[in-house]
Amino acid sequence: MTPPYVALDVEIPSDVRQIEPIVSLVTEHCKSLRLSRRQCSLNIPVALSEALSNAIIRGNHEDPRKHVRLRATVSDHALVFDVVDEGDGFDMARESHDPTTPEYLEREDGRGVFLMHQLMDRVEQFRGPQHVVRLTLNR
């Protein structure tokens, strides 16, 4: 059994234009981990894009002085992404609703947390000195 290792640890400015390049980098790394094509082309990019977007827009309020950190840890059993922002966080439980219900169909927001839960095996939130959203994909 291989011990867990940090595959990626980067910090990006709170700028939504940074999301696509970092997600592309992660997707390329993903292919070397022998994950399924669906996991590399759908699950990880979509869930990670949503988590980074929430960190930049909701967590850091797009403040250019603040940053978002992405740390990816790989083990024999899982791929874990920690998305850390400098904000106070948000109530993930309150934001977790089914966007296919009639009251949410017309809204343009509110799908990110739902998608993360659908595409990853576990989604967790930690609040403390930093706000962390952890996405876990079992291998």
Side-chain angles (χ1 to χ4, degrees):
M1 186 152 90
T2 309
Y5 66 93
V6 176
L8 183 68
D9 193 351
V10 296
E11 192 171 89
I12 61 171
S14 290
D15 181 344
V16 293
R17 294 175 296 188
Q18 299 294 318
I19 295 172
E20 187 178 337
I22 198 70
V23 169
S24 293
L25 177 67
V26 169
T27 301
E28 283 305 310
H29 279 292
C30 161
K31 292 174 184 172
S32 69
L33 298 175
R34 289 179 276 173
L35 297 168
S36 75
R37 186 180 355 225
R38 176 189 162 99
Q39 290 171 320
C40 288
S41 64
L42 176 69
N43 297 57
I44 292 170
V46 172
L48 191 55
S49 293
E50 293 297 339
L52 289 167
S53 175
N54 279 344
I56 291 168
I57 295 169
R58 291 178 175 221
N60 289 349
H61 303 287
E62 297 184 79
D63 183 338
R65 297 167 295 175
K66 294 183 178 181
H67 293 84
V68 173
R69 180 178 180 194
L70 171 62
R71 181 181 173 133
T73 307
V74 179
S75 72
D76 290 339
H77 304 290
L79 176 56
V80 178
F81 297 101
D82 284 339
V83 178
V84 184
D85 64 60
E86 297 180 53
D88 295 329
F90 59 97
D91 186 346
M92 188 180 294
R94 194 176 73 192
E95 298 297 327
S96 296
H97 56 268
D98 183 349
T100 64
T101 58
E103 63 268 22
Y104 290 105
L105 280 177
E106 299 296 320
R107 289 183 57 171
E108 293 180 16
D109 65 333
R111 289 166 173 74
V113 174
F114 176 81
L115 287 170
M116 286 186 274
H117 281 283
Q118 295 300 307
L119 296 169
M120 302 304 278
D121 293 305
R122 190 168 54 243
V123 179
E124 302 168 279
Q125 178 181 42
F126 305 98
R127 293 189 210 173
Q130 297 175 315
H131 175 244
V132 180
V133 170
R134 177 170 293 159
L135 307 172
T136 302
L137 184 65
N138 296 329
R139 295 181 72 191

